[in-house]
Amino acid sequence: QVQLVESGGGLVQTGGSLRLSCATSSRTFSRYPLGWFRQAPGQERQFVAAINWDADSIYYGDSVKGRFTISRDNAKNTVYLQMNSLKAEDTAVYYCAAQIHNSGSVYYVRSYDYWGQGTQVTVSS
């Protein structure tokens, strides 16, 4: 059973920065794509960013392009999400996810089969 544990969320003012981390217990972490999604109250889970196993391919949602950066450290079994120039509309619970057995586009929730518990990010204006 793969476990994903997010950390780094919190309260930040508009224009500020946060770095989220997602650590996994998986020994095969380096083999599969990882993604970040977010979900605000009353809204569907939204794609934020994804990165393939060797960081050769990286994808971002339109609303975060140019502000967020996804990266991974396979030696530490950790994926990161650096969030800069935060806006009030970035407020949500952020989840990391792993595409281990499933397949499909990294943009879709259904393509991932393991999820973390989420970490709250609140941006105050």
Side-chain angles (χ1 to χ4, degrees), residues 48-84:
V48 175
I51 186 168
N52 74 336
W53 71 275
D54 64 353
D56 186 48
S57 297
I58 292 177
Y59 311 85
Y60 293 102
D62 288 341
S63 62
V64 306
K65 283 180 182 177
R67 299 188 298 122
F68 290 12
T69 303
I70 188 172
S71 61
R72 66 190 295 166
D73 185 338
N74 289 339
K76 296 182 178 179
N77 291 350
T78 301
V79 61
Y80 304 97
L81 185 68
Q82 177 66 42
M83 307 185 295
N84 298 329

Side-chain angles (χ1 to χ4, degrees), residues 99-115:
Q99 187 181 63
I100 298 177
H101 305 295
N102 286 3
S103 60
S105 170
V106 295
Y107 291 96
Y108 301 131
V109 170
R110 65 176 180 265
S111 298
Y112 298 84
D113 42 354
Y114 288 92
W115 293 82

